Structure formats: structure tokens, C-alpha cells
């Protein structure tokens, strides 16, 4: 399968495709991930702030990697390293991609849902291959939720329960038949199973691993039913033993996240694999999870997007990305998916935002957290011409290590 590797904010032209019809098809779809431009008398697709994979009609695919790696990648080893940390990030943030209302419902129904299983060890896989391996690993551990369903039949033999009223009504002139009712386990009525089957059909593809025959009767569902079906699946989990319910929840929520990340073509087609992740949002959630791990032993309370009124009129609200508090320190952090190696790279708008957060929350420290490929770049204090009560820092987040580079 031919894969075109590109990056956020790069441009694709017809010359990048073996089959020009794939390029024409992408222009017709008007996917959110692309902005269509015309330069030097030719059409271009400018990649926006997304990463992921787009399946093409020819059977090939476009793989979009983070912009942070673009200037560094010169050979296959660096592509592999980039895929590796992207896989680590996605494994961490799947749960964060669920709508808050559904995530809260899950927490009410299930006590401490477990973290997803770790991804496959082979980091040389492309993003689509990794996703498929990760999915089938979860599928192998998933126990389909089966329910009893009643069936009524009129046959020349008796099976199950004889229905006297129906027997007299239908078989008065044919006593050799029996109107009877049976109860059988079926998979199709369970909402969780339908979500899994829809994910296979529309995102993963079943060619690499044919489904067991028991799954053939399970129906797929329309896109506008995803939310209600996921809510129903969560309710179904309450009837299962606790450990099984938690394990199934992890996989079903992963499937739901994948379905919501997929974009159908303008003709309503679902080409596999196709899924797109908003990179600034994913990076922000990844940083939040890793800070929680990094400060777990230091008795810090962490709140993401903590809301506080800014004005009485109009009800303006400010929401710093990270609010981190211990017994004697309050830290406010703003997470930016921007390459910021030095103070000169900090935008004035970002600095204004951080100043506002620090003043309104009366923070002891304010951090501007930015991504870096370097493990040597450490936190640096930002010094102002006019002294501030709050101490300000530029904090690098090492994506290859998945942690903050704090102080020496």
C-alpha cells in the first residue's frame, strides 16, 4: 500500500501522488484537515493542525505527522522516532477525546475505569498499521455483550415453550405443527457490539483479520447514532461483572473515539483507514496527563481548564489549561503547540494571556509549556522589566520522553 508522508502546515500537489485522481478526489471532499489554495497556476492542499491517516480511493493513504519533526526528518529512523512518540501520545489521550458528558457518565457507572492497554512494541509500524494492531489487541480481549432474545416459530417439531393460545389460533387445522417460543443469545442487540462492528467496517477494515462468524449478523449504525449508542453501551456494562465491565469499557470507548475522529467523504463513503486528530488539543491533553503522573508523589491537585469569572458583566470566563496546587504553591500553566526554543519565539499574545492568568488567579508561578525534541533544553525563567509577584517560566515538554524538562 503506497503511503504519502506529509506534515502539519505542509502543502500537497498532484505531483505528490502516483494516481492524480487521488489528489482530485481529496480536493472534492473538502476535509477539515486541508485548506485549498491556488499558487503558480496549480492547486495545492495546505495541511492544517491535524495528524492522522486518510484512506485514498486507489488503496493508498496519506499519513500526516506533527510539524515539530518536519525539519529534523532526513531518513527512516527519524520517521520511526516521530511515529513512536505520536503513538505514545495517542495511547494516553484516547479517553480525553470522549465528550465530557459521556466521560462523566462512564465514571458514574464504572469505578475507576482502567487505562488502555499499552500499544504494540513494534514502533516501526506506520500510524495506520499501529492503529490496526492496537485495535485487534483490544478486540482479542473484548467479551461481546450477548442478550437473550425471544423468537416465536410455527414448525413441525416442538422446541422451547409451547404457546397454547397461538397454537389453538394458528394450528387448529394443522395439528402436526407446534407454535413455540425459544430464547437464544444474540449479539446484534447489544449497543457495544454494534459500535465495535461499525469501527471495524468504517475505520479499521476486516481484510487483515476476518471476523468470527458470530459477528456477521451484528449491524453497523449511522453516524448520527454514535452518541446515543455509546450511552446505551455504558448502561449495558452495568449488568456485567465489574472487572469485565471495566475491560470492555476501555475498548468500547476507544472504538467510540475512533468513530468520532473519522471523516466521511462528501459522498458519504467511509474509506479505511481514515481518522484525524486535532494536534493542539491532543498535545494539551497529553501534557495534562503527564504532569499528573510527574507530580503524583508531591501532593499536587491538578485541574484542567479550571474556570473563573473575569468580569461581572457579560460573564466572561478565563480557563487556564493547567491549574496545579499544593499546600504552599499555586502554578498556572498555558500549553501551546508551538515550536518555541528561545524567548524570541514567544508571541506577545501568548505572553498577555499568561500574564492575565497569573494575575487573576494570584499564582505563585506561571508556566508557558511548549514542545521540544531536545532532552537538553531546560526550563528558563522569564524576567520582566517591571518586577512581578508571580515567577514566570518557559517550560519545554520533551515529546520523545513524554515529560516536562524542569530545572537542573
Amino acid at each position: 500500500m503506497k503511503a504519502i508522508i506529509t506534515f502539519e502546515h505542509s502543502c500537497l500537489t498532484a505531483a505528490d501522488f502516483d494516481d492524480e485522481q487521488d489528489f482530485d478526489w481529496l480536493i472534492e471532499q473538502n476535509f477539515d484537515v486541508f485548506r485549498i489554495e491556488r499558487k503558480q497556476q496549480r492547486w495545492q492542499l495546505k495541511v492544517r493542525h491535524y495528524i492522522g491517516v486518510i484512506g485514498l480511493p486507489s488503496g493508498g493513504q496519506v499519513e500526516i505527522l506533527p510539524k515539530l519533526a518536519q525539519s529534523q526528518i532526513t531518513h527512516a529512523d527519524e520517521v520511526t522516532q516521530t511515529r513512536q512518540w505520536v503513538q505514545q501520545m495517542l495511547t494516553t489521550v484516547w479517553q480525553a477525546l470522549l465528550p465530557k458528558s459521556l466521560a462523566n457518565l462512564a465514571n458514574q457507572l464504572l469505578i475507576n475505569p482502567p487505562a488502555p492497554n499499552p500499544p504494540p512494541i513494534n514502533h516501526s509500524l506506520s500510524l495506520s498499521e499501529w492503529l490496526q494492531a492496537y485495535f485487534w489487541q483490544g478486540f482479542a480481549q473484548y467479551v461481546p455483550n450477548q442478550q437473550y432474545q425471544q423468537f416465536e416459530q410455527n414448525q413441525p417439531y416442538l422446541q422451547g415453550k409451547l404457546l397454547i393460545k397461538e397454537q389453538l389460533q394458528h394450528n387448529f387445522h394443522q395439528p402436526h405443527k407446534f407454535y413455540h417460543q425459544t430464547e437464544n443469545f444474540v449479539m446484534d442487540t447489544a449497543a457495544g457490539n454494534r459500535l465495535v462492528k461499525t469501527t471495524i467496517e468504517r475505520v479499521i477494515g476486516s481484510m487483515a483479520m476476518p471476523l468470527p462468524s458470530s459477528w456477521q449478523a451484528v449491524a453497523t449504525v449511522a453516524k448520527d447514532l454514535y452518541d446515543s449508542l455509546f450511552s446505551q453501551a455504558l448502561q449495558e456494562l452495568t449488568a456485567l461483572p465489574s472487572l469485565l465491565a471495566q475491560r470492555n469499557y476501555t475498548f468500547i470507548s476507544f472504538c467510540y473515539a475512533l468513530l468520532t475522529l473519522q471523516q466521511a467523504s462528501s459522498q458519504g463513503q467511509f474509506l479505511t483507514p481514515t481518522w484525524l486528530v486535532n494536534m493542539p488539543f491532543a498535545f494539551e491533553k497529553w501534557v495534562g496527563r503527564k504532569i499528573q503522573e510527574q507530580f503524583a508523589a508531591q501532593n499536587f491537585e491538578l485541574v484542567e481548564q479550571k474556570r473563573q469569572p473575569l468580569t461581572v458583566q457579560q460573564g466572561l470566563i478565563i480557563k487556564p489549561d493547567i491549574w496545579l496546587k499544593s499546600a504552599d504553591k499555586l502554578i498556572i500553566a498555558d500549553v501551546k503547540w508551538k515550536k518555541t526554543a528561545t524567548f524570541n519565539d514567544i508571541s506577545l499574545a501568548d505572553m498577555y494571556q499568561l500574564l492575565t492568568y497569573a494575575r487573576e488567579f494570584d499564582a505563585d508561578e506561571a508556566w508557558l509549556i511548549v514542545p521540544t525534541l531536545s532532552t537538553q533544553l531546560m526550563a528558563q525563567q522569564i524576567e520582566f522589566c517591571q518586577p512581578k509577584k508571580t515567577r514566570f517560566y518557559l517550560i519545554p515538554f520533551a515529546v520523545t520522553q513524554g515529560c516536562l524538562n524542569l530545572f537542573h
Side-chain angles (χ1 to χ4, degrees), residues 201-265:
E201 293 291 331
R202 295 183 181 166
V203 184
I204 301 298
S206 57
M207 297 299 292
M209 187 176 296
L211 288 173
S213 58
S214 58
W215 281 87
Q216 300 305 319
V218 179
T220 57
V221 295
K223 188 173 183 179
D224 59 354
L225 296 178
Y226 291 167
D227 288 354
S228 60
L229 206 67
F230 184 65
S231 297
Q232 183 183 336
L234 293 180
Q235 296 289 345
E236 292 173 354
L237 293 177
T238 60
L240 299 178
S242 177
L243 292 178
L244 178 58
Q246 290 182 3
R247 189 171 64 188
N248 276 7
Y249 165 74
T250 299
F251 185 63
I252 290 173
S253 61
F254 171 63
C255 291
Y256 174 78
L258 283 181
L259 288 171
T260 56
L261 292 175
Q262 192 187 43
Q263 292 192 15
S265 72

Side-chain angles (χ1 to χ4, degrees), residues 271-308:
L271 295 178
T272 55
T274 299
W275 51 278
L276 299 166
V277 176
N278 181 299
M279 188 60 200
F281 178 80
F283 179 67
E284 176 189 319
K285 294 302 179 183
W286 188 29
V287 170
R289 298 298 183 274
K290 289 302 180 180
I291 288 178
Q292 207 160 25
E293 293 176 11
Q294 210 164 337
F295 286 80
Q298 301 180 37
N299 295 320
F300 271 91
E301 177 190 0
L302 184 145
V303 178
E304 296 182 60
Q305 299 286 322
K306 185 176 179 66
R307 301 165 64 91
Q308 179 169 299

